[in-house]
Amino acid sequence: MSLDQVLGLGLALLAMCLGLLGSFLPAVPSTPLVLLVAIIHKLIFPQAGVGWIIMSCLILITLVSLVFDYMASIYGAKKFGATWRGAVGAGLGGLAGLFFPFPGILIGPFLGALAFELIGGRGFKKSSRAGMGAILGLLAGAIGKLSACLIMMVLFAASVLSHSH
């Protein structure tokens, strides 16, 4: 492995660590950032970069994690008794929360589920419970993204190391 390949791998893994942070910070993409770094590394180091089978796996993991992340908040709200209104509210609140500073991503799904449940005629206690489910689902999504990022980084590093002989 040449010095530029070692530096390239090190810088790529360092940049991918930002993706790890993105698992919990709303303004930073998680798995899409890890995937983008892997693609850039492949473009810079075509022979010593990640293999195509692993690249396909990275793309698949990214897509699955994005769907899981979005659905986790909705599922959490439903699991804690939300009606379809609360689930829609959690999803919309999560999207709206992306446009606000850090607490927005946590408060958005809660407020969305709460508001939509209240509008639907449910009491405050049941509506609040649906909101808490949305937050717990959001946390499950964050843990899922973190796990996906770690798996992607390990697959990436192993593939690069195996291709750089």
Side-chain angles (χ1 to χ4, degrees):
M1 192 171 207
S2 67
L3 179 61
D4 62 330
Q5 290 172 338
V6 170
L7 290 174
L9 177 59
L11 288 173
L13 289 172
L14 184 62
M16 287 178 176
C17 286
L18 291 175
L20 289 175
L21 290 176
S23 298
F24 296 98
L25 299 175
V28 180
S30 57
T31 53
L33 181 59
V34 173
L35 177 61
L36 178 64
V37 171
I39 291 169
I40 291 170
H41 185 274
K42 177 71 174 169
L43 293 172
I44 295 171
F45 300 100
Q47 302 297 25
V50 66
W52 290 111
I53 292 173
I54 298 299
M55 183 65 77
S56 299
C57 290
L58 297 180
I59 292 168
L60 181 63
I61 292 169
T62 299
L63 294 174
V64 168
S65 75
L66 291 173
V67 169
F68 175 78
D69 182 44
Y70 184 73
M71 298 305 293
S73 183
I74 295 169
Y75 178 76
K78 293 288 284 174
K79 196 73 174 161
F80 275 69
T83 64
W84 68 270
R85 286 181 197 85
V88 169
L92 292 175
L95 290 175
L98 293 174
F99 298 101
F100 294 95
F102 175 67
I105 193 66
L106 290 176
I107 296 170
F110 175 80
L111 291 178
L114 175 73
F116 275 55
E117 290 292 341
L118 288 172
I119 290 168
R122 295 188 85 189
F124 184 78
K125 187 174 180 178
K126 287 185 178 182
S127 298
S128 297
R129 190 167 151 77
M132 284 306 299
I135 289 176
L136 292 174
L138 183 72
L139 292 175
I143 292 168
K145 285 189 296 188
L146 179 67
S147 300
C149 285
L150 289 171
I151 291 167
M152 291 171 73
M153 290 172 69
V154 168
L155 286 173
F156 169 80
S159 180
V160 169
L161 290 172
S162 73
H163 282 101
S164 61
H165 285 57

